[in-house]
């Protein structure tokens, strides 16, 4: 079971307003539309219940939040619409939790390490005779790293993303690199690092965290410049790799749809992505998503096409 498949279950649940995986110290990662207003209440409950937390419900102004312990390092927080009953919220959270425990979750970012000064080393002089001396050959080759040395501008959606020498520093909370990454990209930068497994491409990472490919590509390129990440790119990427996008088509009768959904559904003609529809209407992506979810598989379907074929 893959993490992105489990999270998709929440993403397309019309009763879910937002969700996040949260560390024991209350830091949200891999989040989707979780309002900042509910975070202090979540963090307060984590401090109260700590390691004993298993399943807790929190009543907020945005709706009910269910906290569920996934493993010793992660807690799942799901915010449900206010009109959903508590029993339904608990049941839906449990269903996702049963799937999450089958997933190998990435480790959370490391806490800051307090450096302890090393004791002054004792210098012992050693005299080498010609008989025992070793010949050390000089080489111009740099020490090997996990990532390939590559110009960040060469990275495309089909490149496999690798960890490089500064990866650990970047996922250490409050390190200089960690703070720089957060200033540049907020928690989204850390989300990208958490799902790097040296197998996924840029496109697959974007799918895993449900974010636009171009945004993830921007983060990966920045991280490559900082030697946080590396990449391996196939030579024939432009012709051998396709970036697929989904475009909704509404095939039902518009007057049968709910009035608040009609503006979105009228633009679902198979020529625009849901992100493009949201931008055209000037509404949040999640609002556009909520407008199509009730009709998916009935009167609305998604078609996939190569992004390049549209231009």
């Amino acid at each position: 079971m893959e993490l992105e498949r489990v999270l998709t279950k929440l993403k397309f649940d019309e009763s879910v307003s937002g969700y996040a995986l949260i560390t024991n110290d209350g830091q949200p990662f891999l989040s989707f539309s979780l309002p900042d207003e509910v975070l202090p209440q979540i963090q307060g409950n984590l401090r109260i219940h700590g390691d004993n937390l298993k399943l807790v419900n929190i009543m907020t102004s945005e709706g009910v939040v269910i906290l569920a312990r996934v493993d010793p390092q992660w807690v799942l927080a799901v915010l449900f619409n206010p009109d959903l009953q508590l029993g339904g919220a608990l049941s839906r959270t449990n269903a996702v939790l049963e799937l999450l425990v089958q997933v190998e979750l990435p480790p959370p970012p490391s806490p800051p390490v307090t450096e302890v000064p090393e004791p002054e080393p004792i210098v012992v002089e050693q005299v080498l005779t010609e008989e025992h001396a070793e010949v050390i050959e000089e080489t111009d080759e740099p020490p090997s790293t996990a990532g390939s040395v590559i110009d960040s501008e060469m990275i495309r959606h089909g490149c496999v993303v690798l960890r490089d020498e500064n990866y650990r520093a970047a996922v250490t909370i409050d390190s200089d690199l960690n703070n720089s990454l957060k200033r540049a990209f907020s928690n989204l930068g850390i989300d990208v690092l958490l799902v790097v497994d040296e197998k996924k491409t840029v496109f697959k990472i974007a799918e895993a965290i449900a974010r636009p490919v171009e945004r993830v590509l921007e983060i990966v390129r920045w991280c490559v410049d900082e030697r946080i990440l590396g990449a391996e790119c196939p030579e024939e990427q432009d012709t051998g790799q396709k970036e697929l996008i989904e475009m909704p088509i509404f095939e039902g009768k518009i007057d049968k749809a709910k009035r608040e959904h009609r503006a979105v559904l009228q633009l679902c003609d198979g020529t625009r992505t849901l992100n493009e529809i949201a931008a055209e209407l000037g509404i949040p992506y999640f609002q556009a998503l909520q407008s199509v979810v009730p009709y998916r598989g009935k009167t609305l379907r998604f078609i996939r096409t190569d992004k390049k074929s549209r231009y």
Side-chain angles (χ1 to χ4, degrees), residues 129-189:
T129 64
E130 290 185 5
E131 182 180 356
H132 296 94
E134 295 182 3
V135 178
I136 301 177
E137 296 181 1
E138 293 186 358
T139 176
D140 293 330
E141 295 180 2
S144 60
T145 61
S148 308
V149 178
I150 186 172
D151 182 354
S152 61
E153 293 303 315
M154 296 170 57
I155 297 175
R156 298 289 183 269
H157 64 275
C159 294
V160 176
V161 182
L162 309 172
R163 299 176 182 181
D164 212 333
E165 59 187 30
N166 292 331
Y167 177 87
R168 183 171 293 278
V171 295
T172 298
I173 296 173
D174 289 336
S175 68
D176 290 342
L177 264 181
N178 183 267
N179 290 333
S180 297
L181 184 61
K182 286 182 178 177
R183 280 195 297 270
F185 305 106
S186 188
N187 270 357
L188 181 56

Side-chain angles (χ1 to χ4, degrees), residues 13-17 81 261 285-294:
D13 187 336
E14 60 182 347
S15 68
V16 174
S17 297
N81 295 334
H261 298 161
Y285 169 80
F286 189 71
Q287 183 179 337
L289 178 63
Q290 294 288 64
S291 297
V292 303
V293 166

Side-chain angles (χ1 to χ4, degrees), residues 9 26 172 217 231:
K9 188 176 179 64
T172 298
L217 190 56

Side-chain angles (χ1 to χ4, degrees), residues 7-178:
L7 295 182
T8 298
K9 188 176 179 64
L10 289 172
K11 179 181 175 183
F12 291 107
D13 187 336
E14 60 182 347
S15 68
V16 174
S17 297
Y19 60 83
L21 283 176
I22 296 184
T23 59
N24 289 326
D25 57 357
Q27 296 296 318
F29 295 98
L30 302 177
S31 59
F32 181 78
S33 297
L34 189 68
D36 293 337
E37 293 78 7
V38 305
L39 193 55
Q41 288 177 265
I42 291 174
Q43 292 169 334
N45 275 269
L46 284 173
R47 285 193 295 269
I48 293 170
H49 297 285
D51 295 335
N52 296 322
L53 184 147
K54 291 189 177 178
L55 202 63
V56 172
N57 65 286
I58 309 169
M59 303 307 296
T60 75
S61 59
E62 303 292 329
V64 62
V65 174
I66 304 296
L67 299 182
R69 171 69 65 185
V70 182
D71 63 20
Q73 298 176 312
W74 290 108
V75 171
L76 174 66
V78 186
L79 171 64
F80 291 93
N81 295 334
D83 55 351
L84 184 69
Q85 297 295 321
L86 178 59
L90 291 170
S91 174
R92 293 178 188 221
T93 304
N94 262 325
V96 175
L97 187 63
E98 289 174 1
L99 297 175
L100 271 178
V101 296
Q102 303 174 41
V103 175
E104 185 177 349
L105 294 176
S110 307
V113 178
T114 304
E115 294 186 1
V116 179
E118 296 182 2
E120 193 71 24
I122 301 174
V123 179
V124 179
E125 295 186 0
Q126 183 177 8
V127 179
L128 298 177
T129 64
E130 290 185 5
E131 182 180 356
H132 296 94
E134 295 182 3
V135 178
I136 301 177
E137 296 181 1
E138 293 186 358
T139 176
D140 293 330
E141 295 180 2
S144 60
T145 61
S148 308
V149 178
I150 186 172
D151 182 354
S152 61
E153 293 303 315
M154 296 170 57
I155 297 175
R156 298 289 183 269
H157 64 275
C159 294
V160 176
V161 182
L162 309 172
R163 299 176 182 181
D164 212 333
E165 59 187 30
N166 292 331
Y167 177 87
R168 183 171 293 278
V171 295
T172 298
I173 296 173
D174 289 336
S175 68
D176 290 342
L177 264 181
N178 183 267

